[in-house]
């Protein structure tokens, strides 16, 4: 049995082998011990779970709590201006991603009807239209352009704004503040200022919708008297943040990955029917949302280890998605792979509510982009692309691209 893994300078988060690969130290830990004891920077002992089977089992086990108010949160990387351990975070009304049943069940159940596969399929043609209109605007620009600004960020932002009933003209408010909220290494007061700006804006919005509801998801929720304004605000924050940040980064980073694999890009252009599997593979391969936390509510056996009650457990979806015990040659992008079963949307009761929406947006986005810009390429060397290593959702800050022709 190997010894406890001490990481005095924090959990290694840098994708040091390349922009799309897991951190080398995480990979070595997974191979040696998929459920590893972990010493946090403050000396507290917890656990790091990196193996696919163990991560999947953990996420399905509700004895591993999502509530951050159960104990001290030990931050697994150094954060300038913040202590390594912070006091327990009180539960935020409406933020059901950080709740357990029955609170989680009550709030999530109110949203399941809005995000059914059937309803998302009904929206597909409209989402395709949104993507095509954004590509029309991009085609009118003189290259080079930043793909993040002109395409990857606007498409999911437009879609989620329309679904929720958030005015798209207010996007500067939520895009800037949500990006600031997701910066990893920042003083707590800066993070809370961004959070406060978003929630103040959203509280005013849901209050208006309760008075004069429209035809959108937040209005449907606002009609329900058993939800408080605070709960509506928390739900709106979660849906708006998750609804544009993850998909935007997948569209941009996925385009970067395809441009760096030109033979697979050419195959995808020649055979668009490969796109659904390619989207699943890009989600597995890139794993833009990586680190999650759980808290053991009792002694629990996992992967041959006993995780003691009260332990903080760090989960790496990126490491699990690159586990060779589950995926052959996992560090290779393969658009022919059947990557169903990847954990990029999580697993268990907290599995991503908007996963079908994200799939439709990515299929529409990649299909339109590759068809409309057959000569798309990077406008700068790949090594100069600014990666979001400083953010809690991985991606690129900017992706300068150029082209010599466009098509319909």
């Amino acid at each position: 049995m190997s010894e406890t893994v001490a990481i005095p300078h924090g959990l290694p988060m840098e994708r040091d082998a390349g922009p799309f690969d897991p951190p080398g130290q995480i990979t070595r830990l997974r191979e040696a011990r998929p459920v590893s004891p972990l010493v946090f920077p403050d000396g507290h002992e917890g656990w790091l779970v990196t193996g696919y089977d163990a991560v999947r089992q953990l996420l399905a086990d509700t004895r591993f709590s999502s509530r951050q108010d159960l104990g001290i949160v030990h931050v697994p990387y150094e954060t300038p201006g913040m202590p390594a351990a912070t006091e327990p975070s009180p539960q935020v009304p409406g933020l059901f991603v950080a709740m357990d049943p029955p609170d989680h069940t009550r709030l999530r159940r109110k949203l399941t009807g809005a995000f059914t596969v059937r309803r998302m399929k009904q929206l597909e043609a409209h989402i395709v239209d949104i993507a095509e209109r954004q590509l029309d605007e991009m085609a009118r620009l003189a290259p080079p352009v930043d793909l993040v600004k002109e395409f990857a960020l606007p498409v999911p932002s437009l879609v989620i704004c329309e679904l929720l009933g958030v005015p798209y003209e207010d996007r500067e408010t939520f895009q800037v503040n949500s990006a600031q909220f997701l910066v990893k290494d920042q003083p707590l007061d800066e993070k809370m200022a961004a959070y406060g700006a978003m929630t103040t804006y959203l509280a005013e919005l849901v209050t208006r919708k309760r008075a004069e509801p429209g035809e959108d998801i937040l209005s449907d929720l606002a009609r329900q008297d058993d939800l408080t304004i605070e709960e509506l605000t928390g739900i709106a924050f979660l849906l708006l943040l998750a609804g544009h940040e993850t998909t935007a980064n997948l569209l941009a980073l996925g385009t970067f990955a395809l441009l760096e694999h030109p033979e697979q890009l050419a195959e995808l252009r020649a055979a668009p029917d490969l796109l659904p599997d390619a989207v699943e593979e890009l989600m597995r391969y890139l794993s833009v949302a990586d680190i999650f936390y759980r808290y053991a509510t009792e002694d629990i056996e996992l992967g041959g280890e006993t995780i003691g009650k009260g332990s903080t457990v760090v989960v790496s979806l990126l490491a699990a998605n690159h586990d060779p015990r589950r995926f052959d040659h996992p560090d290779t992008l393969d658009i022919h792979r059947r990557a169903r079963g990847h954990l990029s949307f999580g697993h268990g009761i907290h599995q991503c509510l908007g996963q079908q929406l994200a799939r439709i947006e990515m299929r529409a986005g990649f299909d339109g982009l590759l068809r409309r810009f057959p000569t798309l390429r990077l406008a700068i060397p790949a090594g100069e692309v600014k990666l979001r290593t400083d953010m809690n959702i991985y991606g690129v800050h900017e992706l300068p691209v150029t082209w010599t022709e466009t098509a319909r």
Side-chain angles (χ1 to χ4, degrees):
M1 186 68 71
S2 59
E3 297 180 1
T4 299
V5 178
I7 306 182
H9 299 297
L11 192 65
M13 305 284 284
E14 299 293 326
R15 304 193 184 203
D16 42 19
F20 313 117
D21 295 318
Q25 191 170 355
I26 291 283
T27 297
R28 291 189 292 275
L29 285 176
R30 183 193 60 219
E31 299 316 302
R33 197 172 179 183
V35 181
S36 303
L38 174 69
V39 177
F40 292 93
D42 66 340
H44 168 75
E45 293 189 8
W47 293 85
L48 171 64
V49 185
T50 52
Y52 178 91
D53 289 340
V55 168
R56 187 178 167 92
Q57 182 183 336
L58 180 151
L59 294 175
D61 191 335
T62 54
R63 294 176 299 171
F64 287 103
S65 174
S66 295
R67 288 175 51 185
Q68 295 186 358
D69 62 326
L70 290 183
I72 292 177
V73 179
H74 296 265
V75 183
Y77 42 80
E78 300 290 1
T79 308
M82 286 181 65
T86 58
E87 288 305 306
S89 306
Q91 281 205 287
V92 178
L95 214 64
F96 57 88
V97 71
M99 294 179 180
D100 298 334
D103 297 324
H104 169 268
T105 312
R106 178 179 75 89
L107 294 175
R108 179 158 172 141
R109 189 176 288 150
K110 291 181 178 296
L111 286 160
T112 50
F115 289 95
T116 59
V117 175
R118 181 164 173 252
R119 183 163 182 186
M120 291 301 105
K121 287 294 288 182
Q122 290 170 343
L123 286 168
E124 188 161 5
H126 185 54
I127 291 169
V128 168
D129 186 51
I130 287 173
E132 292 293 331
R133 287 203 309 267
Q134 198 61 39
L135 289 166
D136 287 342
E137 291 192 23
M138 188 168 125
R140 285 193 282 268
L141 300 173
V145 304
D146 174 14
L147 191 81
V148 174
K149 179 184 176 186
E150 304 301 342
F151 181 67
L153 184 56
V155 169
S157 296
L158 279 159
V159 171
I160 200 66
C161 280
E162 195 167 306
L163 278 176
L164 296 182
V166 175
Y168 184 64
E169 56 268 23
D170 295 344
R171 63 190 178 279
E172 286 297 323
T173 300
F174 69 80
Q175 286 177 351
V176 169
N177 286 304
S178 69
Q180 182 63 44
F181 179 76
L182 291 169
V183 172
K184 280 193 297 205
D185 299 345
Q186 65 174 320
L188 185 59
D189 58 346
E190 290 182 16
K191 187 183 190 76
M192 295 314 294
Y195 173 74
M198 279 189 76
T199 52
T200 298
Y201 166 75
L202 290 169
E204 293 170 355
L205 181 66
V206 296
T207 300
R208 291 200 305 272
K209 288 185 181 295
R210 175 149 280 176
E212 298 180 28
E215 297 299 319
D216 53 71
I217 289 174
L218 292 183
S219 291
D220 291 345
L221 292 170
R223 290 185 178 96
Q224 301 186 40
D225 294 335
D226 62 332
L227 287 174
T228 65
I229 291 295
E230 290 75 22
E231 286 177 322
L232 287 168
T233 301
I235 292 171
F237 171 79
L238 185 59
L239 295 180
L240 187 58
L241 185 76
H244 79 279
E245 280 286 352
T246 48
T247 307
N249 282 290
L250 273 164
L251 281 171
L253 191 65
T255 301
F256 183 23
L258 289 171
L259 291 172
E260 287 295 281
H261 294 80
E263 70 295 336
Q264 298 204 48
L265 178 58
E267 273 195 86
L268 202 50
R269 279 206 176 97
D273 58 320
L274 293 172
L275 194 57
D277 281 343
V279 163
E280 298 301 319
E281 170 66 350
L282 284 165
M283 286 189 287
R284 179 204 70 82
Y285 180 63
L286 301 173
S287 299
V288 299
D290 177 15
I291 297 296
F292 291 85
Y293 298 86
R294 292 293 187 268
Y295 308 93
T297 57
E298 58 184 80
D299 291 352
I300 306 169
E301 294 290 321
L302 183 71
E305 310 283 355
T306 300
I307 296 181
K309 180 179 179 179
S311 294
T312 301
V313 185
V314 183
V315 182
S316 173
L317 299 188
L318 172 65
N321 278 336
H322 283 248
D323 189 340
R325 298 174 185 88
R326 175 62 178 80
F327 299 103
D328 293 335
H329 308 292
D331 297 339
T332 299
L333 176 67
D334 179 4
I335 61 171
H336 297 278
R337 188 194 303 272
R338 299 289 294 175
R340 305 277 172 176
H342 66 77
L343 297 173
S344 297
F345 289 122
H347 182 62
I349 64 169
H350 288 286
Q351 191 170 40
C352 177
L353 188 64
Q355 61 179 289
Q356 298 306 330
L357 175 63
R359 286 186 169 103
I360 291 168
E361 288 175 324
M362 284 186 282
R363 289 198 295 262
F366 287 124
D367 176 67
L369 184 66
L370 301 189
R371 174 172 37 81
R372 300 283 298 275
F373 295 85
T375 57
L376 190 74
R377 67 182 190 277
L378 289 179
I380 59 174
E384 293 179 15
V385 173
K386 296 176 183 175
L387 300 167
R388 287 171 55 116
T389 53
D390 57 333
M391 309 293 277
N392 282 317
I393 296 178
Y394 188 61
V396 294
H397 284 290
E398 299 171 354
L399 191 69
V401 294
T402 189
W403 59 87
T404 54
E405 60 181 281
T406 59
R408 289 300 301 177

